Amino acid sequence: MQARKQSRTFWRAILTQPSLWAGILITLLLVGLGLGIRTLRAPLAPAELTYSALLSALDARQVASLEIDPGRELRGRMRPGAGTPGARETGFRVVYTSPTLDEVLHRAEAMGVTVAFTEREQHDRMAALNLLVVLAGFAVLGILLKRGLATQGGHGSLGEESPSSTTFANVAGNEGTVAELKEVVEFLRDPEKFGRIGARAPKGVLMFGPPGTGKTLMARAVAGEAGVPFFAISGSEVTGFLVGLGVARVKNLFRRARKRGGVIFIDEIDAIGSRRGANRSHNEDDRTLNQLLVEMDGFSQREGVLVIGATNRPEDLDPALRRPGRFDRSVSVGLPSADEREAILRLHVLERAVPVGQDVDLGRLARLMPQSSGADLANLVNEAAIVAARQGAVAVAWGHIESARDRLLLGKERTGFRASDGEWQIVAVHEAGHALAGVLCCPEDGLHKVTIQPRGQAMGVAFFSPADDLHLHSRRYLESQILKGLAGRAAEEIVFGPALVTSGARSDLQQTTRIAKEMVYSLGMGQSTGLVAYDPALPLSTETHATMDRDVKEIIEGLYARVRQLIETHRAALEALARALLERETIGGEEAVAILAANGAEPATYAS
Ligand code: ADP
Ligand code: MG
Ligand code: ZN
């Protein structure tokens, strides 16, 4: 199943390569053209022979073959004369009248010459058809090339020349970035003014930031605020394409923008702008990048053109791009903070005119979506509206949002998923273990809910969400993350015995190992390693490596012993929560905390 899927995606990847199709098309055209020329030339070229000359040629055994087009003409091939070595057969034609045909056929038969009947008309039709196919082929190729040149943006829309309608009002959060961009808007509105006061106006702005953080949105807003057209292209669209096409598209883009001024947006600029020569397979990409540099140097600041490039890999960019007069400004766009997330949610609820119920607290929702981008949040609002609509509700209620969020974070509910009662018991104990350890040792992360409803890859989950975005992590916090992560396995082991622990802890172990490694390798929190940071570029002695790995192991083993102890002490609370889960599948955070507390597991406070 997996293999089949892979091979399908493999073929899809191959078949969607534009250069492959262009190659096939050109080959077909050349072959077609060749055939067409042959069919056209063969019957047209031959010399005309008189009737009597044909008869004597037949007698002299010079005729190699004959073709008869009844009612019109005779065609044939003549052997080269004996005295001309190396010469090839030549074609001839004879216009005949019906009565004379008998004689020719007679003699041809006697001399053993093969005779074929064809219709010249059909021949013509074949040639005409061939020509038509070739012409159609060229037309298609032409259209493809033209579209290749003109297409822009990821939307496949053609040159968006009308001014963009997006403004900064469509952007929430990102105040610093927006403030910087407002400056360049001033310049776009009145490029002459900058020239007059002798200020050097910006030509290019680079935006750095992870996907979905609103880079495209803000570039569009710059154009919208300035009332100029927005031209977009994606670096990945012009790489590895036909020879010269990347260059041509870049030229075309600048030519159009320079006519009336505008914003040229180059998304994924690292695809063309990564270091020349370094780890790239395409020479062609270098030419595209060079063309971009030439174009940027080539226009004057008074033309009112601004180039905005976006990437999430600034370290890959060719330094030549960032010289003065090119992309000499850069702004970075980060993932939104909790407050910004709330503002983005609010904006999208407003923009889409989604009616929202009384019980929806967007601030709370924002805190439940740590590490989410603006695009994730927009998606969440949209998904919640869909859930509500599907249930026939008049407004989006908190429940709709919950289920949209689960769906986005964990994947779809697995309907029809069957597990044995024994398996459910294990999952319930495992998740209750995570919940218990989290509540006991990690006050920073509130328990949002615990569920044994299977979704995506997981059979269950204990959801925590930090009350605030944390930027600094104490050793205690990191340790509590590991404790929480190991608690699922520890609970299984305590309740069912070491022989029955399951594969359910796979991703838990990956995560805890990652944190422990980080502590030792980068954060100077390893017992014996001390304050040394590991640099992958520098070789390490084998001993240092061994010490680090020993430290990692020690951290994990020490914490595992501690979490086992915690769970043994609070086994009654663990089992009470597991039972509740088996009965009701999903338990809200507050209620879960109450069940644990009622059974002797009091939540931790910051002081402890
Ligand atoms: P990027 O180009 O950084 O990958 P996009 O600009 O394409 O991100 O963002 C995708 C969508 O996410 C936007 O169209 C918008 O709906 C939403 N979005 C992202 N950031 C914001 C924001 N700061 N304010 C409002 N909407 C946002
Ligand atoms: Mg984008
Ligand atoms: Zn787990």
Side-chain angles (χ1 to χ4, degrees):
M1 194 59 198
Q2 191 64 22
R4 250 182 64 195
K5 211 167 147 194
Q6 263 175 16
S7 87
R8 217 183 299 142
T9 45
F10 169 75
W11 282 110
R12 192 172 312 142
I14 296 258
L15 292 177
T16 50
Q17 275 288 318
S19 41
L20 175 87
W21 285 110
I24 291 178
L25 202 60
I26 288 177
T27 314
L28 285 179
L29 283 178
L30 290 179
V31 169
L33 207 62
L35 285 177
I37 288 172
R38 271 189 52 178
T39 40
L40 281 176
R41 207 182 47 186
L44 290 181
E48 192 138 343
L49 231 59
T50 61
Y51 182 64
S52 53
L54 171 63
L55 289 183
S56 46
L58 273 171
D59 285 341
R61 293 181 181 275
Q62 281 176 329
V63 177
S65 63
L66 266 181
E67 226 178 290
I68 296 168
D69 184 355
R72 296 176 64 192
E73 64 174 19
L74 269 166
R75 286 180 302 277
R77 317 253 339 140
M78 192 84 82
R79 292 200 181 89
T84 50
R88 295 188 306 145
E89 286 183 358
T90 49
F92 65 85
R93 64 193 278 262
V94 181
V95 180
Y96 74 93
T97 47
S98 309
T100 56
L101 189 58
D102 271 354
E103 183 61 24
V104 173
L105 286 177
H106 198 77
R107 291 205 196 184
E109 203 176 353
M111 297 297 169
V113 174
T114 53
V115 179
F117 286 84
T118 53
E119 271 182 87
R120 178 62 219 249
E121 253 176 84
Q122 193 187 333
H123 221 107
D124 281 348
R125 237 182 281 139
M126 291 262 293
L129 199 70
N130 209 317
L131 199 68
L132 216 69
V133 168
V134 171
L135 285 180
F138 270 117
V140 169
L141 188 67
I143 291 171
L144 277 182
L145 281 175
K146 226 179 120 94
R147 274 190 36 182
L149 286 174
T151 319
Q152 25 175 321
H155 314 286
S157 59
L158 261 89
E160 186 186 320
E161 307 233 356
S162 55
S164 153
S165 60
T166 309
T167 67
F168 288 134
N170 301 103
V171 183
N174 285 314
E175 275 162 30
T177 314
V178 168
E180 289 197 54
L181 291 175
K182 278 190 173 150
E183 262 181 57
V184 297
V185 169
E186 281 308 308
F187 149 70
L188 277 173
R189 282 207 186 118
D190 187 2
E192 294 289 342
K193 187 174 99 190
F194 268 73
R196 279 198 300 273
I197 59 172
R200 233 199 39 211
K203 267 191 169 181
V205 178
L206 280 175
M207 293 177 106
F208 302 132
T213 45
K215 298 183 294 296
T216 312
L217 180 74
M218 285 186 272
R220 240 177 234 287
V222 167
E225 292 279 338
V228 297
F230 180 76
F231 303 88
I233 191 176
S234 171
S236 61
E237 284 174 67
V238 288
T239 48
F241 208 60
L242 279 177
V243 179
L245 199 64
V247 171
R249 285 192 63 173
V250 169
K251 273 190 188 167
N252 179 286
L253 203 61
F254 276 84
R255 189 174 45 72
R256 285 191 296 157
R258 285 170 71 171
K259 268 191 213 151
R260 289 192 285 137
V263 171
I264 296 179
F265 179 67
I266 308 178
D267 207 356
E268 297 176 68
I269 193 170
D270 49 285
I272 41 174
S274 63
R275 290 163 196 285
R276 275 171 290 189
N279 65 33
R280 47 160 57 178
S281 45
H282 256 268
N283 213 2
E284 192 52 30
D285 298 346
D286 289 350
R287 292 188 43 205
T288 308
L289 172 58
N290 288 337
Q291 187 61 38
L292 175 63
L293 297 178
V294 167
E295 295 288 349
M296 288 200 71
D297 293 341
F299 69 83
S300 116
Q301 268 128 333
R302 294 176 180 224
E303 287 176 78
V305 175
L306 180 77
V307 188
I308 300 182
T311 176
N312 52 357
R313 302 206 309 229
E315 65 283 355
D316 285 356
L317 289 183
D318 196 303
L321 273 173
R322 306 180 68 171
R323 301 237 169 88
R326 292 172 182 167
F327 291 99
D328 44 12
R329 293 196 181 196
S330 57
V331 289
S332 75
V333 189
L335 288 174
S337 68
D339 288 344
E340 290 179 312
R341 292 198 294 271
E342 184 177 344
I344 294 173
L345 285 169
R346 209 166 288 287
L347 179 69
H348 280 276
V349 164
L350 264 174
E351 270 183 2
R352 284 167 216 228
V354 179
V356 175
Q358 290 282 307
D359 61 340
V360 174
D361 178 350
L362 292 180
R364 178 173 168 218
L365 179 57
R367 285 191 303 281
L368 288 173
M369 298 290 291
Q371 304 296 315
S372 304
S373 68
D376 296 333
L377 298 169
N379 205 4
L380 175 63
V381 170
N382 187 46
E383 193 77 24
I386 291 173
V387 173
R390 201 177 288 145
Q391 297 181 5
V394 287
V396 174
W398 184 258
H400 303 134
I401 291 181
E402 275 286 312
S403 77
R405 176 174 169 275
D406 286 352
R407 200 186 181 120
L408 291 178
L409 295 185
L410 299 171
K412 278 196 184 143
E413 289 158 46
R414 279 202 272 175
T415 49
F417 179 85
R418 290 260 177 281
S420 66
D421 286 351
E423 278 185 318
W424 285 130
Q425 275 173 19
I426 294 173
V427 177
V429 164
H430 180 110
E431 300 308 336
H434 286 307
L436 173 64
V439 168
L440 286 177
C441 26
C442 190
E444 291 90 342
D445 298 349
L447 179 58
H448 176 57
K449 74 174 168 192
V450 200
T451 174
I452 55 168
Q453 186 182 49
R455 274 173 188 278
Q457 292 302 306
M459 283 176 75
V461 69
F463 247 127
F464 290 87
S465 61
D468 305 297
D469 291 322
L470 292 179
H471 302 289
L472 286 174
H473 300 301
S474 64
R475 184 202 295 259
R476 198 196 47 70
Y477 180 76
L478 293 171
E479 286 179 353
S480 73
Q481 294 301 305
I482 298 179
L483 283 171
K484 199 162 62 173
L486 294 173
R489 162 61 65 89
E492 285 182 34
E493 192 178 328
I494 288 165
V495 175
F496 303 104
L500 293 182
V501 295
T502 67
S503 55
R506 183 198 312 273
S507 64
D508 295 338
L509 295 182
Q510 283 169 354
Q511 184 130 8
T512 48
T513 308
R514 195 179 53 70
I515 300 173
K517 266 194 148 163
E518 175 92 359
M519 289 170 69
V520 173
Y521 278 63
S522 326
L523 305 177
M525 296 182 184
Q527 196 59 245
S528 318
T529 308
L531 300 173
V532 178
Y534 168 70
D535 181 349
L538 297 175
L540 265 188
S541 72
T542 344
E543 298 104 89
T544 316
H545 242 311
T547 311
M548 288 179 148
D549 286 342
R550 209 167 332 112
D551 275 351
V552 171
K553 202 158 173 252
E554 242 165 50
I555 289 180
I556 293 175
E557 283 177 353
L559 291 172
Y560 190 66
R562 229 168 94 193
V563 76
R564 276 195 52 119
Q565 174 112 55
L566 269 178
I567 293 175
E568 303 251 26
T569 315
H570 297 286
R571 184 157 172 176
L574 175 87
E575 293 191 356
L577 183 55
R579 266 196 310 278
L581 280 171
L582 283 171
E583 270 169 32
R584 286 156 45 203
E585 203 174 75
T586 301
I587 312 279
E590 278 173 31
E591 194 187 347
V593 171
I595 293 174
L596 293 173
N599 289 276
E602 286 292 337
T605 55
Y606 280 99
S608 61

